[in-house]
Amino acid sequence: MTNKKMASEQDNITYALGNNVSRNTVGDLKGIIYNKQGKELYDATIKELVYVSGSSFNLFSLSKRLENGWKLGGDAKAIWLEKGEYKILFDIKIKTPK
């Protein structure tokens, strides 16, 4: 993680049950985007990622991306976010009983 700083109150994470988690670190995370066949596509950086020590899950805020100019689309096979030439595709289904 680069550009790390202590999180402010505005960076608090709210979980599904409504409880807030504070005392986080905020920074930029560099990575590589792959397709689901494992082919490397391009380098990417997630800006202002909030890291919560000890958290068991990675949370991704669709509403935050939409506030920043991304467009949401979807069909029966996947959902996606698009901005300019970039597209984030969520097409790996995790089967659940309900």
XYZ file of all heavy atoms in Angstrom:
778
model
N 0.855 -1.173 0.000
C 0.000 0.000 0.000
C 0.897 1.230 0.000
O 1.868 1.287 0.736
C -0.914 -0.033 1.225
C -1.969 1.040 1.206
S -3.083 1.032 2.635
C -4.215 -0.226 2.166
N 0.555 2.198 -0.839
C 1.306 3.444 -0.911
C 0.413 4.599 -0.474
O -0.798 4.453 -0.354
C 1.806 3.704 -2.351
O 0.690 3.780 -3.235
C 2.744 2.602 -2.811
N 1.013 5.756 -0.242
C 0.284 6.962 0.181
C -0.557 6.712 1.437
O -1.682 7.190 1.551
C -0.604 7.500 -0.947
C 0.188 7.847 -2.181
O 1.280 8.405 -2.100
N -0.334 7.503 -3.338
N -0.010 5.936 2.379
C -0.762 5.575 3.587
C -0.919 6.760 4.529
O -0.034 7.596 4.650
C -0.057 4.441 4.342
C -0.126 3.130 3.631
C 0.250 1.960 4.512
C 1.689 1.969 4.939
N 2.060 0.772 5.674
N -2.078 6.804 5.175
C -2.350 7.796 6.206
C -3.370 7.199 7.170
O -4.065 6.234 6.838
C -2.884 9.097 5.595
C -4.221 8.929 4.892
C -4.729 10.224 4.301
C -6.089 9.981 3.629
N -6.647 11.154 3.043
N -3.457 7.759 8.350
C -4.479 7.320 9.295
C -5.843 7.751 8.772
O -5.996 8.840 8.238
C -4.235 7.922 10.682
C -3.036 7.326 11.405
S -3.157 5.548 11.662
C -4.590 5.445 12.711
N -6.809 6.891 8.931
C -8.161 7.185 8.465
C -8.802 8.261 9.340
O -8.543 8.346 10.538
C -9.005 5.926 8.493
N -9.645 9.066 8.709
C -10.419 10.060 9.449
C -11.791 9.464 9.766
O -12.120 8.349 9.343
C -10.572 11.336 8.619
O -11.386 11.079 7.492
N -12.613 10.200 10.460
C -13.945 9.720 10.797
C -14.780 9.444 9.543
O -15.616 8.553 9.517
C -14.660 10.726 11.700
C -15.897 10.155 12.360
C -16.430 11.056 13.456
O -15.641 11.498 14.308
O -17.644 11.311 13.440
N -14.534 10.198 8.466
C -15.257 9.980 7.213
C -14.883 8.662 6.540
O -15.578 8.187 5.653
C -15.019 11.123 6.224
C -15.625 12.420 6.676
C -14.558 13.485 6.892
O -13.419 13.191 7.211
N -14.937 14.724 6.732
N -13.766 8.065 6.959
C -13.301 6.810 6.368
C -13.821 5.583 7.101
O -13.470 4.463 6.752
C -11.767 6.767 6.350
C -11.173 7.858 5.484
O -11.657 8.041 4.358
O -10.232 8.527 5.950
N -14.646 5.767 8.130
C -15.181 4.626 8.873
C -15.927 3.683 7.938
O -16.562 4.099 6.983
C -16.131 5.080 9.981
C -15.396 5.686 11.153
O -14.175 5.624 11.236
N -16.136 6.279 12.065
N -15.860 2.409 8.237
C -16.549 1.375 7.479
C -17.798 0.984 8.253
O -17.745 0.748 9.457
C -15.647 0.129 7.305
C -14.364 0.490 6.557
C -16.394 -0.993 6.615
C -14.560 0.904 5.130
N -18.941 0.884 7.567
C -20.179 0.427 8.182
C -20.499 -0.958 7.647
O -20.641 -1.150 6.442
C -21.356 1.380 7.865
O -21.003 2.695 8.290
C -22.618 0.938 8.572
N -20.590 -1.931 8.557
C -20.915 -3.306 8.183
C -22.415 -3.493 8.069
O -23.200 -2.616 8.417
C -20.337 -4.281 9.216
C -18.836 -4.432 9.121
C -17.999 -3.931 10.110
C -18.255 -5.081 8.042
C -16.625 -4.079 10.022
C -16.875 -5.223 7.947
C -16.079 -4.729 8.944
O -14.721 -4.881 8.849
N -22.833 -4.673 7.602
C -24.244 -4.968 7.332
C -25.139 -4.777 8.547
O -26.287 -4.384 8.412
C -24.390 -6.396 6.803
N -24.646 -5.039 9.728
C -25.467 -4.891 10.933
C -25.497 -3.459 11.435
O -26.100 -3.166 12.462
C -24.966 -5.826 12.037
C -25.090 -7.323 11.718
C -24.474 -8.157 12.838
C -26.534 -7.710 11.491
N -24.836 -2.545 10.724
C -24.878 -1.131 11.079
C -23.775 -0.682 12.011
O -23.694 0.491 12.354
N -22.904 -1.604 12.448
C -21.816 -1.193 13.330
C -20.673 -0.585 12.514
O -20.389 -1.006 11.403
C -21.320 -2.362 14.184
C -20.941 -3.582 13.366
O -21.562 -3.870 12.362
N -19.928 -4.296 13.799
N -20.052 0.450 13.081
C -18.943 1.147 12.432
C -17.611 0.631 12.949
O -17.489 0.295 14.120
C -19.014 2.656 12.697
C -20.104 3.319 11.897
O -20.352 2.969 10.754
N -20.760 4.284 12.502
N -16.632 0.604 12.072
C -15.267 0.240 12.445
C -14.398 1.437 12.132
O -14.435 1.984 11.037
C -14.779 -0.988 11.646
C -13.352 -1.322 11.994
C -15.680 -2.178 11.892
N -13.631 1.878 13.111
C -12.732 3.008 12.901
C -11.300 2.573 13.191
O -11.025 1.398 13.368
C -13.140 4.174 13.799
O -13.103 3.778 15.144
N -10.388 3.519 13.258
C -8.960 3.252 13.467
C -8.384 2.434 12.309
O -7.735 1.424 12.485
C -8.708 2.525 14.795
C -9.252 3.237 15.994
C -8.286 4.359 16.402
N -8.683 4.941 17.661
C -9.237 6.131 17.777
N -9.468 6.859 16.718
N -9.553 6.615 18.952
N -8.654 2.874 11.118
C -8.212 2.211 9.905
C -7.044 2.962 9.277
O -6.709 4.056 9.678
C -9.353 2.154 8.883
C -10.633 1.614 9.478
O -10.625 0.588 10.118
N -11.715 2.321 9.278
N -6.479 2.365 8.240
C -5.461 2.999 7.419
C -6.040 3.204 6.027
O -6.733 2.344 5.507
C -4.206 2.098 7.324
O -3.722 1.849 8.641
C -3.124 2.750 6.499
N -5.754 4.350 5.415
C -6.202 4.651 4.059
C -4.967 4.771 3.178
O -3.956 5.342 3.585
C -7.006 5.973 4.022
C -7.416 6.311 2.598
C -8.221 5.889 4.918
N -5.056 4.244 1.960
C -3.942 4.350 1.031
C -4.342 3.861 -0.345
O -5.501 3.535 -0.595
N -3.377 3.796 -1.232
C -3.590 3.323 -2.595
C -3.005 1.921 -2.719
O -1.915 1.653 -2.212
C -2.916 4.245 -3.606
C -3.441 5.670 -3.543
O -4.566 5.869 -3.039
O -2.727 6.582 -3.993
N -3.720 1.029 -3.378
C -3.266 -0.354 -3.545
C -3.061 -0.647 -5.022
O -4.004 -0.555 -5.821
C -4.283 -1.332 -2.953
C -3.893 -2.798 -2.994
C -2.682 -3.053 -2.092
C -5.060 -3.666 -2.570
N -1.822 -0.971 -5.380
C -1.501 -1.314 -6.768
C -1.671 -2.811 -6.952
O -1.397 -3.597 -6.055
C -0.065 -0.905 -7.098
C 0.127 0.593 -7.087
C 1.538 0.976 -7.440
C 1.650 2.495 -7.404
N 2.936 2.961 -7.860
N -2.148 -3.193 -8.137
C -2.341 -4.607 -8.428
C -2.398 -4.850 -9.921
O -2.151 -3.951 -10.726
N -2.733 -6.075 -10.275
C -2.844 -6.488 -11.666
C -4.243 -7.054 -11.864
O -4.724 -7.840 -11.053
C -1.782 -7.543 -12.032
C -0.377 -6.984 -11.784
C -1.938 -8.009 -13.472
C 0.720 -8.019 -11.882
N -4.887 -6.657 -12.934
C -6.212 -7.157 -13.277
C -6.037 -8.388 -14.171
O -5.299 -8.354 -15.160
C -7.040 -6.088 -14.023
C -7.135 -4.799 -13.201
C -8.411 -6.630 -14.400
C -7.824 -4.933 -11.871
N -6.719 -9.473 -13.801
C -6.713 -10.712 -14.569
C -8.138 -11.045 -14.996
O -9.089 -10.692 -14.307
C -6.207 -11.883 -13.714
C -4.758 -11.787 -13.315
C -4.369 -11.093 -12.173
C -3.778 -12.412 -14.065
C -3.040 -11.007 -11.798
C -2.440 -12.341 -13.688
C -2.084 -11.639 -12.557
O -0.767 -11.562 -12.189
N -8.281 -11.764 -16.108
C -9.604 -12.291 -16.430
C -9.782 -13.607 -15.683
O -8.861 -14.087 -15.022
C -9.817 -12.429 -17.944
C -8.932 -13.473 -18.587
O -8.336 -14.325 -17.933
N -8.828 -13.406 -19.904
N -10.971 -14.218 -15.744
C -11.192 -15.405 -14.923
C -10.463 -16.641 -15.445
O -10.401 -17.650 -14.765
C -12.678 -15.664 -14.719
C -13.470 -16.048 -15.915
C -14.921 -16.237 -15.479
C -15.833 -16.512 -16.633
N -17.204 -16.693 -16.178
N -9.860 -16.552 -16.623
C -9.008 -17.633 -17.120
C -7.558 -17.461 -16.651
O -6.700 -18.263 -16.965
C -9.046 -17.693 -18.653
C -10.357 -18.192 -19.227
C -11.458 -17.152 -19.205
O -11.197 -15.952 -19.335
N -12.690 -17.593 -19.028
N -7.285 -16.392 -15.904
C -5.950 -16.160 -15.378
C -5.044 -15.347 -16.282
O -3.863 -15.168 -15.980
N -5.566 -14.818 -17.379
C -4.749 -14.009 -18.290
C -4.603 -12.598 -17.723
O -5.577 -11.945 -17.374
C -5.405 -13.935 -19.666
C -4.604 -13.113 -20.662
C -5.296 -12.992 -21.996
C -4.486 -12.073 -22.888
N -5.257 -11.509 -23.961
N -3.346 -12.134 -17.649
C -3.069 -10.782 -17.163
C -3.565 -9.759 -18.180
O -3.271 -9.858 -19.367
C -1.563 -10.625 -16.943
C -1.179 -9.322 -16.322
C 0.314 -9.231 -16.027
O 0.889 -10.192 -15.486
O 0.896 -8.187 -16.355
N -4.346 -8.777 -17.697
C -4.900 -7.769 -18.591
C -4.165 -6.440 -18.491
O -3.723 -5.906 -19.492
C -6.386 -7.570 -18.299
C -7.258 -8.812 -18.470
C -8.689 -8.515 -18.057
C -7.205 -9.323 -19.899
N -4.062 -5.864 -17.286
C -3.374 -4.580 -17.127
C -3.149 -4.272 -15.652
O -3.728 -4.889 -14.769
C -4.140 -3.442 -17.805
C -5.612 -3.360 -17.468
C -6.065 -2.723 -16.318
C -6.564 -3.925 -18.301
C -7.405 -2.654 -16.009
C -7.910 -3.854 -18.009
C -8.328 -3.225 -16.862
O -9.645 -3.160 -16.553
N -2.262 -3.307 -15.406
C -2.008 -2.822 -14.048
C -3.124 -1.879 -13.639
O -3.705 -1.196 -14.486
C -0.676 -2.073 -13.985
C 0.519 -2.968 -14.244
O 0.405 -4.182 -14.024
O 1.563 -2.456 -14.670
N -3.408 -1.838 -12.352
C -4.455 -0.945 -11.851
C -4.102 -0.505 -10.437
O -3.319 -1.158 -9.750
C -5.804 -1.643 -11.855
N -4.672 0.617 -10.020
C -4.508 1.118 -8.661
C -5.874 1.467 -8.099
O -6.629 2.207 -8.739
C -3.607 2.367 -8.629
O -2.323 2.025 -9.163
C -3.427 2.879 -7.204
N -6.195 0.917 -6.946
C -7.413 1.305 -6.242
C -7.015 2.445 -5.315
O -6.170 2.268 -4.438
C -8.014 0.136 -5.441
C -8.367 -1.027 -6.381
C -9.243 0.599 -4.668
C -8.826 -2.265 -5.654
N -7.600 3.605 -5.528
C -7.260 4.797 -4.753
C -8.100 4.860 -3.488
O -9.265 4.461 -3.474
C -7.522 6.061 -5.582
C -6.730 6.127 -6.863
C -5.435 6.784 -6.633
C -4.727 6.995 -7.969
N -3.411 7.490 -7.792
N -7.500 5.370 -2.431
C -8.158 5.601 -1.144
C -8.841 4.350 -0.602
O -9.950 4.388 -0.093
C -9.139 6.768 -1.242
C -8.440 8.078 -1.556
C -9.374 9.268 -1.521
O -10.462 9.176 -0.922
O -8.997 10.305 -2.079
N -8.161 3.232 -0.700
C -8.624 1.979 -0.125
C -8.547 2.083 1.392
O -7.562 2.584 1.930
C -7.734 0.833 -0.611
C -8.051 -0.520 -0.034
C -8.862 -1.303 -1.058
C -6.797 -1.248 0.306
N -9.567 1.641 2.088
C -9.563 1.657 3.551
C -9.236 0.250 4.022
O -9.953 -0.703 3.724
C -10.923 2.112 4.117
C -10.899 2.092 5.642
C -11.279 3.494 3.617
N -8.123 0.121 4.760
C -7.687 -1.169 5.288
C -8.144 -1.298 6.732
O -7.892 -0.421 7.553
C -6.158 -1.281 5.211
C -5.624 -2.500 5.899
C -5.763 -3.757 5.316
C -4.999 -2.405 7.136
C -5.282 -4.885 5.944
C -4.513 -3.534 7.771
C -4.658 -4.768 7.178
O -4.193 -5.888 7.808
N -8.842 -2.402 7.035
C -9.310 -2.680 8.386
C -8.564 -3.910 8.884
O -8.802 -5.021 8.405
C -10.834 -2.923 8.425
C -11.292 -3.221 9.848
C -11.585 -1.738 7.843
N -7.667 -3.723 9.820
C -6.893 -4.825 10.374
C -7.823 -5.840 11.028
O -8.728 -5.486 11.772
C -5.905 -4.281 11.400
O -5.180 -5.334 11.985
N -7.623 -7.110 10.724
C -8.416 -8.169 11.334
C -9.741 -8.453 10.658
O -10.472 -9.349 11.068
N -10.078 -7.717 9.609
C -11.342 -7.961 8.915
C -11.258 -9.253 8.112
O -10.233 -9.558 7.514
C -11.670 -6.799 7.979
O -12.883 -7.048 7.304
N -12.345 -10.000 8.073
C -12.381 -11.270 7.349
C -12.842 -11.122 5.907
O -12.847 -12.087 5.158
C -13.334 -12.235 8.059
O -12.898 -12.471 9.371
N -13.262 -9.916 5.503
C -13.863 -9.730 4.192
C -13.267 -8.528 3.468
O -12.812 -7.587 4.090
C -15.380 -9.517 4.315
C -16.078 -10.652 4.989
C -16.373 -10.590 6.340
C -16.418 -11.788 4.280
C -17.008 -11.646 6.970
C -17.056 -12.845 4.905
C -17.347 -12.775 6.251
N -13.323 -8.572 2.139
C -13.007 -7.432 1.292
C -14.330 -6.808 0.879
O -15.192 -7.492 0.335
C -12.246 -7.871 0.039
C -10.911 -8.467 0.370
O -10.165 -7.914 1.147
N -10.618 -9.614 -0.214
N -14.519 -5.542 1.157
C -15.746 -4.859 0.791
C -15.479 -3.929 -0.380
O -14.451 -3.264 -0.429
C -16.280 -4.051 1.977
C -16.564 -4.844 3.246
C -17.004 -3.899 4.357
C -17.629 -5.890 2.994
N -16.401 -3.883 -1.312
C -16.287 -3.030 -2.482
C -17.570 -2.222 -2.570
O -18.664 -2.790 -2.658
C -16.101 -3.885 -3.744
C -15.866 -3.093 -4.989
C -14.585 -2.684 -5.319
C -16.908 -2.745 -5.826
C -14.350 -1.954 -6.478
C -16.681 -2.019 -6.978
C -15.404 -1.623 -7.296
N -17.477 -0.918 -2.538
C -18.656 -0.062 -2.517
C -19.061 0.349 -3.933
O -18.419 1.186 -4.559
C -18.389 1.182 -1.678
O -19.488 2.050 -1.738
N -20.136 -0.262 -4.434
C -20.655 0.131 -5.745
C -21.134 1.571 -5.730
O -20.889 2.330 -6.668
C -21.811 -0.787 -6.157
C -21.447 -2.213 -6.521
C -22.714 -3.032 -6.747
C -20.560 -2.246 -7.741
N -21.831 1.972 -4.658
C -22.362 3.337 -4.611
C -21.242 4.372 -4.634
O -21.370 5.423 -5.264
C -23.260 3.530 -3.386
O -22.573 3.226 -2.202
N -20.110 4.074 -4.007
C -18.974 5.001 -4.036
C -18.429 5.143 -5.455
O -18.101 6.242 -5.905
C -17.871 4.519 -3.083
C -16.769 5.502 -2.888
C -17.288 6.746 -2.223
C -16.173 7.608 -1.711
N -16.678 8.829 -1.122
N -18.334 4.035 -6.178
C -17.863 4.092 -7.567
C -18.835 4.888 -8.432
O -18.426 5.659 -9.288
C -17.684 2.686 -8.142
C -16.681 1.839 -7.418
C -15.269 2.396 -7.503
N -14.528 1.921 -6.351
C -13.833 2.694 -5.533
N -13.743 3.980 -5.750
N -13.212 2.207 -4.497
N -20.138 4.703 -8.220
C -21.132 5.442 -9.010
C -21.037 6.938 -8.746
O -21.230 7.743 -9.654
C -22.538 4.921 -8.716
C -22.794 3.470 -9.144
C -24.162 3.008 -8.656
C -22.667 3.308 -10.641
N -20.712 7.334 -7.509
C -20.516 8.749 -7.183
C -19.319 9.326 -7.924
O -19.245 10.530 -8.141
C -20.284 8.931 -5.681
C -21.499 8.703 -4.821
C -21.159 8.727 -3.335
O -19.981 8.977 -2.967
O -22.069 8.480 -2.540
N -18.372 8.467 -8.305
C -17.149 8.907 -8.976
C -17.179 8.698 -10.488
O -16.144 8.551 -11.121
C -15.938 8.200 -8.364
C -15.662 8.691 -6.963
O -15.634 9.895 -6.728
N -15.491 7.778 -6.026
N -18.390 8.661 -11.071
C -18.504 8.654 -12.515
C -18.581 7.312 -13.199
O -18.652 7.237 -14.421
N -18.553 6.210 -12.460
C -18.701 4.894 -13.062
C -20.177 4.656 -13.371
O -21.054 5.164 -12.687
C -18.182 3.807 -12.123
C -16.692 3.819 -11.979
C -15.955 4.635 -11.174
C -15.762 2.982 -12.653
N -14.612 4.352 -11.308
C -14.475 3.331 -12.207
C -15.889 1.960 -13.578
C -13.322 2.701 -12.665
C -14.741 1.324 -14.025
C -13.477 1.704 -13.581
N -20.463 3.872 -14.394
C -21.824 3.494 -14.779
C -22.016 2.010 -14.487
O -21.142 1.193 -14.779
C -22.073 3.750 -16.271
C -21.847 5.176 -16.698
C -22.879 6.100 -16.114
C -22.647 7.518 -16.598
N -23.233 8.515 -15.772
N -23.176 1.669 -13.928
C -23.494 0.288 -13.557
C -24.366 -0.355 -14.625
O -25.312 0.251 -15.110
C -24.225 0.275 -12.214
C -24.694 -1.069 -11.670
C -23.492 -1.970 -11.353
C -25.540 -0.860 -10.416
N -24.029 -1.587 -14.996
C -24.829 -2.350 -15.938
C -24.915 -3.790 -15.489
O -24.247 -4.206 -14.541
N -25.730 -4.571 -16.166
C -25.823 -5.971 -15.802
C -26.841 -6.731 -16.615
O -27.658 -6.154 -17.316
N -26.741 -8.050 -16.538
C -27.697 -8.953 -17.149
C -27.710 -10.230 -16.306
O -27.191 -10.244 -15.194
C -27.357 -9.227 -18.619
C -25.973 -9.825 -18.839
O -25.427 -10.463 -17.906
O -25.430 -9.668 -19.943
N -28.286 -11.308 -16.823
C -28.396 -12.549 -16.059
C -27.042 -13.221 -15.804
O -26.906 -14.027 -14.893
C -29.322 -13.526 -16.775
N -26.028 -12.858 -16.575
C -24.725 -13.515 -16.453
C -23.739 -12.759 -15.572
O -22.813 -13.353 -15.038
C -24.115 -13.714 -17.834
C -24.907 -14.654 -18.707
C -24.245 -14.802 -20.056
C -25.082 -15.708 -20.938
N -24.506 -15.837 -22.267
N -23.907 -11.430 -15.436
C -22.905 -10.646 -14.709
C -23.434 -9.242 -14.416
O -24.429 -8.819 -14.991
C -21.629 -10.540 -15.538
N -22.719 -8.543 -13.542
C -22.895 -7.101 -13.388
C -21.546 -6.468 -13.685
O -20.505 -7.124 -13.588
C -23.424 -6.682 -11.993
C -22.450 -7.101 -10.888
C -24.804 -7.228 -11.747
C -22.837 -6.549 -9.516
N -21.556 -5.188 -14.068
C -20.299 -4.531 -14.393
C -20.376 -3.044 -14.117
O -21.437 -2.463 -14.018
C -19.906 -4.766 -15.850
C -20.958 -4.381 -16.831
C -21.225 -3.136 -17.325
C -21.917 -5.243 -17.431
N -22.274 -3.168 -18.197
C -22.720 -4.458 -18.281
C -22.179 -6.611 -17.336
C -23.758 -5.000 -19.029
C -23.208 -7.137 -18.082
C -23.978 -6.330 -18.911
N -19.192 -2.478 -13.972
C -19.005 -1.036 -13.852
C -18.159 -0.595 -15.034
O -17.184 -1.270 -15.387
C -18.275 -0.688 -12.552
C -19.048 -0.897 -11.261
C -18.111 -0.824 -10.076
C -20.142 0.145 -11.130
N -18.509 0.532 -15.645
C -17.750 1.060 -16.768
C -17.461 2.541 -16.558
O -18.304 3.283 -16.057
C -18.527 0.915 -18.074
C -18.679 -0.506 -18.541
C -19.433 -0.594 -19.849
O -20.647 -0.336 -19.847
O -18.780 -0.905 -20.871
N -16.254 2.934 -16.940
C -15.862 4.342 -16.922
C -14.841 4.524 -18.034
O -13.741 3.967 -17.970
C -15.272 4.741 -15.570
C -14.938 6.213 -15.456
C -14.457 6.544 -14.050
C -14.199 8.017 -13.892
N -13.720 8.334 -12.528
N -15.230 5.275 -19.056
C -14.329 5.461 -20.193
C -14.014 4.127 -20.838
O -14.908 3.340 -21.134
N -12.738 3.840 -21.019
C -12.319 2.593 -21.653
C -12.244 1.424 -20.672
O -11.977 0.295 -21.061
C -10.957 2.779 -22.327
C -9.843 3.082 -21.328
C -8.496 3.324 -21.982
O -7.757 2.345 -22.194
O -8.209 4.498 -22.276
N -12.494 1.667 -19.384
C -12.339 0.637 -18.364
C -13.660 -0.020 -18.012
O -14.712 0.619 -17.972
C -11.715 1.223 -17.101
C -10.326 1.748 -17.355
C -10.099 3.116 -17.465
C -9.253 0.883 -17.518
C -8.827 3.607 -17.717
C -7.979 1.362 -17.769
C -7.774 2.723 -17.866
O -6.528 3.204 -18.115
N -13.596 -1.319 -17.748
C -14.772 -2.084 -17.357
C -14.364 -3.081 -16.275
O -13.391 -3.826 -16.452
C -15.344 -2.828 -18.563
C -16.603 -3.605 -18.267
C -17.166 -4.211 -19.565
C -18.504 -4.848 -19.359
N -19.072 -5.352 -20.622
N -15.084 -3.074 -15.161
C -14.888 -4.058 -14.100
C -16.075 -5.004 -14.181
O -17.223 -4.593 -14.018
C -14.827 -3.401 -12.710
C -13.716 -2.358 -12.646
C -14.632 -4.468 -11.632
C -13.734 -1.522 -11.380
N -15.797 -6.261 -14.447
C -16.832 -7.260 -14.651
C -16.883 -8.209 -13.453
O -15.866 -8.777 -13.064
C -16.530 -8.045 -15.929
C -17.520 -9.099 -16.369
C -18.838 -8.445 -16.779
C -16.944 -9.893 -17.534
N -18.052 -8.350 -12.867
C -18.282 -9.287 -11.767
C -19.082 -10.451 -12.346
O -20.306 -10.409 -12.436
C -19.055 -8.600 -10.632
C -18.334 -7.434 -10.039
C -18.536 -6.156 -10.544
C -17.453 -7.598 -8.975
C -17.875 -5.064 -9.992
C -16.788 -6.510 -8.428
C -16.998 -5.252 -8.936
N -18.377 -11.500 -12.775
C -19.044 -12.595 -13.478
C -18.732 -13.973 -12.901
O -19.043 -14.987 -13.502
C -18.665 -12.565 -14.962
C -17.199 -12.813 -15.213
O -16.391 -12.698 -14.277
O -16.837 -13.106 -16.368
N -18.135 -14.016 -11.736
C -17.887 -15.290 -11.075
C -18.963 -15.453 -10.007
O -18.996 -14.716 -9.022
C -16.483 -15.356 -10.462
C -15.435 -15.184 -11.566
C -16.289 -16.664 -9.709
C -14.011 -15.064 -11.055
N -19.857 -16.408 -10.223
C -20.989 -16.606 -9.311
C -20.586 -17.525 -8.175
O -19.898 -18.542 -8.384
C -22.171 -17.199 -10.064
C -22.705 -16.264 -11.127
C -23.866 -16.877 -11.850
C -24.336 -15.948 -12.951
N -25.414 -16.532 -13.735
N -21.020 -17.183 -6.985
C -20.826 -18.026 -5.818
C -22.194 -18.573 -5.451
O -23.081 -17.816 -5.048
C -20.198 -17.234 -4.652
C -18.824 -16.703 -5.077
C -20.103 -18.100 -3.402
C -18.198 -15.759 -4.107
N -22.376 -19.861 -5.621
C -23.670 -20.490 -5.375
C -23.993 -20.465 -3.886
O -23.151 -20.773 -3.055
C -23.666 -21.934 -5.869
C -23.364 -22.092 -7.338
C -24.541 -21.716 -8.185
C -24.219 -21.997 -9.646
N -25.240 -21.603 -10.534
N -25.207 -20.074 -3.577
C -25.710 -20.075 -2.199
C -27.067 -20.758 -2.186
O -27.757 -20.833 -3.223
C -25.841 -18.643 -1.652
O -26.770 -17.926 -2.466
C -24.499 -17.925 -1.644
N -27.498 -21.270 -1.027
C -28.785 -21.974 -0.986
C -29.984 -21.066 -1.265
O -31.017 -21.532 -1.724
C -28.867 -22.519 0.421
C -27.608 -22.176 1.120
C -26.786 -21.334 0.220
N -29.857 -19.773 -0.989
C -30.983 -18.866 -1.186
C -30.518 -17.622 -1.903
O -29.402 -17.219 -1.815
C -31.594 -18.461 0.156
C -32.218 -19.624 0.854
C -32.915 -19.144 2.104
C -33.565 -20.327 2.797
N -34.341 -19.984 3.929
